Amino acid sequence: MNSIISQEPVNSVSGIGPRAVSALKRLGITTIWDLILHFPTGYQDRSQITPIAELSREGEYAVIRGTISRTAINGTGKNSIFNIFLSDSTGTLRISIFHFKPYQLQQITQEQEICVYGKISFFNGQPQMTNPEFFNSHENQHSFTPVYGLTHGIKMTAMRKYIDSALAMLNSDNLAELIPENLITEHSGYTLRQCFQKIHHPDISESLLKLAEFRSIFCKRIILEELTAHQLSLIKLREMNNRNNGLAISPIPKLMNKFVKSLPFKPTGAQLRVTDEIIHDLGQNIPMNRLVQGDVGAGKTLVAAMAALTVVGNGYQAAIMAPTEILAEQHAEKISKMFESLNIKTATLLGKYKAAQKKTQLKLIESGEAGIIIGTHAIFQDAVHYANLKLIVIDEQHRFGVDQRLKLRSKAEKDGITPHVLAMTATPIPRTLAQTMYADMKVSVLDELPPGRTPIKTFMLSTEHKNKLLPRIMENCQKHLQVYWVCCLVNESDTLEECQDTENARDYLQTNLPDLKIDIVHGQMKAAEKEAAMIKFKKGETDILVATSVIEVGVDVPNAFLIVIENAERYGLAQLHQLRGRVGRGKIESYCCLLCSDSISPAGIERMEVLKESSDGFYIAEKDLEIRGPGDLMGTRQTGEMIFKAANLFRDQDLLEQAATIASSIHSNYPEHETDLLKRWYPDGETASQA
């Protein structure tokens, strides 16, 4: 096997064919490395066998071991049900299998001993299970059984088999220990291979709480390596930046004043201050590398426009890259309108453009006629040739990894001149954390909101009382207002029974509000499907959009008056604040409803109270770090759009300093390990930087 495991395609794993490759890609899994980093979302304890007579609670999950006493098929055709009667010394359990396959009939024989795991229900006082999971009664029960996030086309049994096969392929050649043991004394004692094995199959003695919070020693060991690789990449970027030549771009006060006067509003003091910081950087012959943090609605687009104006006014080009096509279109619409009076031409490049439309835009870019180019990552494809690109603006930069930032620099370099880079994020990060995570960048903060923003009223409601929301939703949707309904799961989970999923939420809303148009969007959908759903919602063709946190950074929908967040206690404060920012985009009174379980912890209640009391993203981010408790089990991993595969910027702050120290030592004393670590975690970025 290739020693760079992060470049080894997932179809190298036994049993993974073309269909599975396509399905896994929807989960962001394309390599063996991605597959073993697809950590469980929960675990099943199958070590405890429950006697059938002791089953008493509706909805509980249990393991039953018994002997098949008889079978029967009820009904015909697609509506037929295969019933299995499983008996132990205390009673009999009926198991109903819907949509069964012929081979299942052949596998089930009378007097056969089997084990099943599933949800218990009762009919006429008798216990039953529907479509449980079967497993061999003699299987080793000394470890928890993992539960994974799935997508259409992959069943749980298949995912477990794929990951186990991948784990079996690991060895000292393809998963070498790249951090010297003397640098990680606290997290040593286990090889990286053993850590992966323990995460996917933890011993029954392990703490489920620690595993769920990614705080086990095995998780920390892998997270520490990823953070170390990240710090090494920052060292690399910083050294590259110091070696590179930039073009000093002069300020143009008259043009800037003309532009500001043409705006229908007055920029905030924070916008003007941050713009001055950017213009100062642009005037240096060292490439700018600045991060602008701005809370939801702080006006980052205007800052990007003023930076671009300085560059275009000097006869050069600026490119603005957004993570999604709908956001790119939104930027293009706003910025084109801003520059209309100055006769500055823009070009837009999106993956969905047809050949003729794309060709027209490419000509505008190559000729230099278009001063500002806006799009997704499509603006840096091989077919795009810039006349004189000198500024790259990356919106929502946390959605683009270090490897992509390296690619951008490589693509845009020309005649020995490296373009200036301005990154922007709406995720407030405490300054001390930002300095560690983005050590290669200068940081500016937009800490002032434009006047006129409608305050969002935030309230907490028990999940059991969510029916109270329905009349208000119906009344307002009849007035052409709209609602976001956010869930932390895509599909129903066996291990997170209290968590609402998008499928069931949509069914619940459609049943109770049959006259409203309801759509769904989540991270496991194809990009085109997500875009289509968001566009329909933006156009007002959908009343309620049921979604996962994939809409955390989304489009402006001024008519959205309410966002309902189910299982709010499972999110971090910073993420809840981002989600809340989807409403209050217009002048209508807006609300955020935090639906919480009755079993919410005291720390969870404290977090909800912070959100109810404050709309300051930076204050909320600081409090998030102070009081975050259990929860955030799903976090942003489900969206598939975070730059880290195992680490979490907020959760793992206690490891950042150690990672920085280790990275510095490796950079100075173990250069061969530095190269291999970067290849393991950032295979594309390493290649790009060497190109």
Side-chain angles (χ1 to χ4, degrees):
M1 184 189 292
N2 192 316
S3 61
I4 304 176
I5 194 170
S6 54
Q7 292 181 341
E8 190 70 21
V10 74
N11 60 3
S12 302
V13 176
S14 175
I16 297 183
R19 286 187 179 180
V21 168
S22 178
L24 288 168
K25 191 174 182 180
R26 289 196 292 272
L27 293 172
I29 299 171
T30 60
T31 67
I32 294 177
W33 187 234
D34 295 332
L35 186 59
I36 62 174
L37 282 167
H38 188 63
F39 290 163
T41 57
Y43 300 90
Q44 297 169 351
D45 182 356
R46 296 183 176 181
S47 62
Q48 303 299 317
I49 308 296
T50 303
I52 293 172
E54 293 182 16
L55 298 173
S56 59
R57 190 161 63 91
E58 182 89 20
E60 71 178 326
Y61 283 77
V63 175
I64 307 298
R65 182 168 62 195
T67 302
I68 298 173
S69 54
R70 67 185 179 93
T71 62
I73 297 177
N74 294 344
T76 58
K78 292 182 179 180
N79 296 322
S80 59
I81 303 171
F82 182 31
N83 289 311
I84 300 169
F85 294 87
L86 189 66
S87 301
D88 65 9
S89 60
T90 69
T92 299
L93 173 75
R94 186 176 76 173
I95 298 169
S96 299
I97 302 177
F98 294 83
H99 311 298
F100 59 90
K101 306 293 183 187
Y103 74 85
Q104 289 176 289
L105 298 178
Q106 298 169 3
Q107 291 178 340
I108 299 296
T109 59
Q110 205 157 314
E111 302 303 320
Q112 178 184 1
E113 186 182 64
I114 60 170
C115 277
V116 293
Y117 177 87
K119 185 189 287 188
I120 301 298
S121 60
F122 289 87
F123 181 72
N124 288 335
Q126 297 301 309
Q128 60 182 15
M129 276 187 186
T130 300
N131 290 343
E133 190 173 340
F134 291 76
F135 59 99
N136 191 308
S137 61
H138 301 294
E139 284 182 12
N140 187 343
Q141 297 302 304
H142 298 300
S143 63
F144 289 115
T145 301
V147 177
Y148 298 103
L150 302 175
T151 186
H152 178 71
I154 295 185
K155 293 184 177 180
M156 188 65 70
T157 51
M159 181 64 85
R160 288 176 183 145
K161 182 180 176 183
Y162 297 156
I163 291 176
D164 286 348
S165 296
L167 291 171
M169 297 169 75
L170 302 179
N171 55 54
S172 57
D173 289 331
N174 59 40
L175 199 64
E177 298 298 314
L178 298 178
I179 300 181
E181 193 169 345
N182 64 299
L183 299 180
I184 53 166
T185 51
E186 185 183 344
H187 303 294
S188 62
Y190 293 91
T191 65
L192 208 56
R193 181 170 177 261
Q194 288 172 328
C195 287
F196 276 109
Q197 186 68 40
K198 290 288 189 180
I199 289 171
H200 289 286
H201 294 285
D203 295 339
I204 289 293
S205 59
E206 291 295 328
S207 163
L208 275 180
L209 182 60
K210 281 189 175 182
L211 288 165
E213 293 181 338
F214 290 80
R215 305 313 291 164
S216 72
I217 190 172
F218 317 115
C219 289
K220 282 191 170 188
R221 170 64 184 84
I222 294 167
I223 289 166
L224 184 63
E225 179 172 303
E226 182 174 22
L227 291 175
T228 298
H230 182 78
Q231 291 296 320
L232 284 169
S233 68
L234 295 180
I235 292 172
K236 189 180 186 72
L237 281 170
R238 192 161 56 241
E239 289 184 344
M240 285 174 60
N241 209 54
N242 292 338
R243 289 197 307 266
N244 290 336
N245 295 317
L247 182 72
I249 296 174
S250 303
I252 313 174
K254 285 186 179 180
L255 180 63
M256 188 64 71
N257 289 336
K258 183 179 179 181
F259 172 69
V260 170
K261 286 179 181 178
S262 72
L263 296 172
F265 54 85
K266 184 180 179 181
T268 65
Q271 286 173 318
L272 294 175
R273 184 192 73 246
V274 170
T275 300
D276 284 344
E277 292 170 354
I278 293 167
I279 290 174
H280 175 268
D281 285 359
L282 291 174
Q284 311 304 308
N285 56 13
I286 296 174
M288 175 177 70
N289 198 22
R290 184 172 287 275
L291 171 68
V292 173
Q293 291 190 73
D295 208 346
V296 177
K300 295 181 297 298
T301 304
L302 177 60
V303 169
M306 291 194 284
L309 177 62
T310 300
V311 172
V312 174
N314 277 276
Y316 305 111
Q317 291 174 306
I320 300 174
M321 184 172 73
T324 66
E325 293 195 349
I326 195 165
L327 273 175
E329 285 181 309
Q330 187 168 284
H331 282 322
E333 184 182 336
K334 284 184 177 179
I335 290 172
S336 296
K337 192 173 181 180
M338 284 181 186
F339 289 134
E340 205 169 20
S341 62
L342 299 180
N343 200 27
I344 293 175
K345 200 171 189 69
T346 62
T348 308
L349 265 184
L350 304 175
K352 68 180 180 182
Y353 279 1
K354 293 182 178 178
Q357 192 176 9
K358 190 175 290 185
K359 187 176 180 180
T360 300
Q361 300 300 305
L362 290 174
K363 281 184 177 179
L364 290 173
I365 296 168
E366 189 169 5
S367 66
E369 187 178 347
I372 299 176
I373 298 87
I374 304 164
T376 57
H377 59 275
I379 64 176
F380 288 99
Q381 291 176 347
D382 292 340
V384 185
H385 301 285
Y386 292 91
N388 45 24
L389 180 64
K390 294 296 179 283
L391 172 65
I392 301 169
V393 180
I394 307 171
D395 190 22
E396 296 307 332
Q397 76 85 34
H398 65 286
R399 297 202 172 198
F400 299 100
V402 172
D403 52 341
Q404 288 169 303
R405 282 159 60 189
L406 288 168
K407 275 185 178 181
L408 296 187
R409 284 180 174 270
S410 175
K411 170 72 180 175
E413 284 179 1
K414 188 175 182 181
D415 300 328
I417 300 296
T418 300
H420 299 283
V421 173
L422 175 65
M424 304 193 300
T425 179
T427 303
I429 304 166
R431 184 173 289 276
T432 52
L433 196 55
Q435 287 170 347
T436 306
M437 291 308 302
Y438 304 109
D440 63 315
M441 310 179 86
K442 295 179 181 177
V443 179
S444 293
V445 177
L446 283 170
D447 51 8
E448 182 182 352
L449 291 179
R453 288 277 296 184
T454 306
I456 302 166
K457 296 180 180 178
T458 304
F459 62 98
M460 186 177 164
L461 187 66
S462 167
T463 300
E464 291 186 4
H465 298 142
K466 65 182 177 183
N467 283 357
K468 293 181 178 180
L469 296 170
L470 299 177
R472 191 169 188 176
I473 289 174
M474 188 67 197
E475 178 187 347
N476 282 277
C477 286
Q478 287 175 336
K479 298 175 183 176
H480 307 294
L481 299 183
Q482 295 166 281
V483 176
Y484 289 102
W485 194 286
V486 181
C487 305
C488 63
L489 298 176
V490 174
N491 307 114
E492 190 172 1
S493 166
D494 287 343
T495 56
L496 299 173
E497 302 111 89
E498 291 185 353
C499 291
Q500 180 64 289
D501 62 279
T502 54
E503 300 288 346
N504 280 320
R506 178 179 58 183
D507 293 345
Y508 162 77
L509 291 167
Q510 201 67 79
T511 300
N512 288 281
L513 301 167
D515 296 330
L516 298 184
K517 294 176 182 176
I518 301 169
D519 206 349
I520 194 168
V521 64
H522 54 72
Q524 293 180 15
M525 294 166 62
K526 292 180 179 178
E529 294 173 337
K530 285 191 289 185
E531 294 284 337
M534 293 299 292
I535 288 170
K536 280 176 62 181
F537 190 64
K538 184 179 181 182
K539 289 182 177 178
E541 296 172 9
T542 304
D543 297 306
I544 304 175
L545 185 65
V546 180
T548 57
S549 57
V550 69
I551 54 101
E552 176 184 339
V553 177
V555 296
D556 285 336
V557 181
N559 284 333
F561 86 101
L562 170 66
I563 182 166
V564 179
I565 305 172
E566 295 236 31
N567 305 110
E569 71 276 10
R570 288 191 171 269
Y571 295 88
L573 267 181
Q575 191 178 21
L576 287 171
H577 179 61
Q578 291 297 304
L579 288 168
R580 177 170 62 177
R582 292 305 92 223
V583 297
R585 314 294 287 191
K587 295 182 179 180
I588 58 174
E589 197 167 37
S590 300
Y591 302 87
C592 172
C593 174
L594 305 169
L595 281 181
C596 296
S597 164
D598 286 340
S599 59
I600 184 172
S601 67
I605 293 174
E606 189 179 355
R607 296 207 314 274
M608 299 307 108
E609 290 298 327
V610 169
L611 204 69
K612 285 164 60 178
E613 293 168 4
S614 178
S615 59
D616 182 341
F618 291 94
Y619 169 77
I620 289 170
E622 292 282 4
K623 295 298 289 185
D624 202 15
L625 293 177
E626 282 180 30
I627 61 174
R628 176 175 293 210
D632 199 24
L633 179 60
M634 304 304 293
T636 55
R637 273 190 74 84
Q638 185 169 312
T639 71
E641 293 177 318
M642 60 189 296
I643 59 172
F644 296 114
K645 294 179 179 293
N648 179 288
L649 186 143
F650 288 96
R651 182 194 65 217
D652 303 317
Q653 60 162 333
D654 60 315
L655 297 177
L656 286 173
E657 188 175 340
Q658 186 182 2
T661 302
I662 293 171
S664 178
S665 179
I666 289 176
H667 180 67
S668 301
N669 306 311
Y670 306 92
E672 70 284 359
H673 288 195
E674 176 181 38
T675 301
D676 290 342
L677 271 169
L678 287 170
K679 283 181 177 178
R680 177 182 285 172
W681 289 95
Y682 305 112
D684 294 338
E686 181 68 8
T687 302
S689 67
Q690 292 177 341

